[in-house]
Amino acid sequence: MLATAPDGILLVDKPQGISSHRVVSIARRRLGLKKIGHAGTLDPMATGLLLLGAGPSTRLLTHLVGLGKTYMATIRLGVGTDSDDADGAPTSARGVAGADVSDDAVERAVAAQRGVIDQVPSTVSAIKVDGRRAYDLARRGEEVVLRSRTVTVSRFDVTGRNGRTVSVDGQEIAVVDLDVVVDCSSGTYVRALARDVGAALGTGAHLTALRRTAVGPFDVAAAIDLEDDGVDVGAALVRPADVARRLFDVVTLEPGAAKDLTDGKRVAVEHPDSDGPVAAIAAEDDRLVGLVSVRRGRLRVITNFPAPTSAGTTRSGAGA
């Protein structure tokens, strides 16, 4: 019996110091498959949950990108950087001496960043300006002006604080490190939250640590270390049908209906109308047949998913 080609969503715990693109490259090598994508990057400094799609499941990535995120981070008050995180060069090192960084003052600054806010992304970001990445422009010394965007920060809580002395360019300064947890909408920059809290307190600030712990219903506790050769990466792929169940309503199709939908025919079902997506799953083999909308008791395909093919067939055409 031929093995089926890799197909599914892979939950990866990205280590610090490598790019999301590098994670994708490692996954391609481990799975022997070119067709792999990701649902939103993490900065090299950041660790935590990165969602990859393999094979036909790359079609699910567009539905994963917009999911809410949860982060744990450490904000250092007293030092600002040009990237708003520890990978950047210091732009200010005023410290916290003489500034009001009491618990009440910090809470006021943090509270101002909760809810629906207009946020200017960090200058050193992957946002494109006239077709070029903002970080490329900034690193070449070009002026970068980014528009604000509306994001939602549903939770931004300080969970701990620690005062310390650090050396910046040979100068010893007093700083305060804040441990925080953030629940936010897709597109929110936690680095920018740190920057704006520092601005409100008059101290400057940047991130010294960032870890993504959840994306929608997916938790980093279920993620794998992709660089661990002892991990069976293929076995760690979450099946498309199981992913779809966690994201969408489900309509179950009997064999004849599943084939008809695959063939492009409109299938009659008993299901409330929906603009979609609804996951159409075949009862016979528990396979995700497609994402559909429902109108007047009939299914219309939004995205179809091919039946599994042998590993040899898929790999020879990978990336097509």
Side-chain angles (χ1 to χ4, degrees):
M1 181 178 179
L2 289 174
T4 57
D7 180 18
I9 297 297
L10 190 65
L11 279 61
V12 175
D13 189 347
K14 188 188 88 67
Q16 189 173 24
I18 68 172
S19 67
S20 299
H21 179 74
R22 174 61 181 158
V23 174
V24 171
S25 296
I26 296 171
R28 285 172 175 156
R29 173 178 59 82
R30 295 291 305 273
L31 289 171
L33 187 69
K34 290 183 180 179
K35 193 173 183 180
I36 295 179
H38 61 73
T41 62
L42 280 172
D43 295 330
M45 188 200 82
T47 68
L49 185 58
L50 188 66
L51 300 180
L52 306 184
S57 286
T58 55
R59 302 178 190 193
L60 284 169
L61 294 178
T62 186
H63 301 284
L64 300 175
V65 169
L67 296 174
K69 315 290 195 300
T70 298
Y71 296 91
M72 297 176 65
T74 300
I75 299 172
R76 176 159 293 171
L77 303 179
V79 181
T81 72
D82 59 5
S83 63
D84 302 324
D85 66 18
D87 282 344
T91 56
S92 66
R94 67 196 71 171
V96 297
D100 183 2
V101 291
S102 64
D103 288 347
D104 286 345
V106 168
E107 171 57 24
R108 286 193 296 271
V110 168
Q113 301 301 315
R114 296 191 189 114
V116 180
I117 62 173
D118 288 329
Q119 182 186 74
V120 177
S122 296
T123 300
V124 181
S125 67
I127 293 173
K128 286 189 176 182
V129 180
D130 295 329
R132 301 165 67 188
R133 299 290 184 186
Y135 58 70
D136 285 334
L137 298 173
R139 288 165 184 165
R140 289 172 182 156
E142 299 183 36
E143 183 180 5
V144 178
V145 179
L146 298 178
R147 296 179 180 178
S148 65
R149 55 173 64 183
T150 301
V151 298
T152 301
V153 180
S154 54
R155 181 184 182 192
F156 186 9
D157 294 337
V158 177
T159 58
R161 62 179 288 160
N162 181 36
R164 65 177 71 231
T165 300
V166 299
S167 178
V168 180
D169 295 332
Q171 176 186 5
E172 298 296 316
I173 62 172
V175 300
V176 171
D177 287 346
L178 303 175
D179 294 326
V180 301
V181 59
V182 177
D183 293 336
C184 57
S185 62
S186 178
T188 304
Y189 280 82
V190 181
R191 287 183 286 151
L193 293 178
R195 175 201 65 204
D196 293 344
V197 166
L201 293 169
T203 62
H206 70 282
L207 287 185
T208 61
L210 179 65
R211 180 165 177 78
R212 187 155 68 195
T213 58
V215 176
F218 305 100
D219 195 278
V220 72
I224 65 166
D225 177 356
L226 198 55
E227 295 183 310
D228 183 350
D229 290 336
V231 172
D232 185 340
V233 179
L237 287 167
V238 183
R239 298 174 58 254
D242 294 332
V243 173
R245 285 190 182 93
R246 302 184 71 175
L247 299 177
F248 312 114
D249 286 341
V250 172
V251 58
T252 302
L253 303 179
E254 295 306 319
K259 184 179 185 306
D260 285 345
L261 191 67
T262 300
D263 291 341
K265 299 177 182 178
R266 291 187 181 179
V267 174
V269 295
E270 291 187 8
H271 193 281
D273 280 6
S274 170
D275 290 332
V278 172
I281 296 177
E284 184 177 28
D285 55 3
D286 196 40
R287 177 176 66 86
L288 178 62
V289 180
L291 299 180
V292 301
S293 62
V294 185
R295 277 285 179 268
R296 295 186 292 275
R298 290 187 177 274
L299 303 185
R300 297 183 181 182
V301 175
I302 299 172
T303 307
N304 60 12
F305 288 80
T309 58
S310 70
T313 299
T314 298
R315 291 181 191 179
S316 65

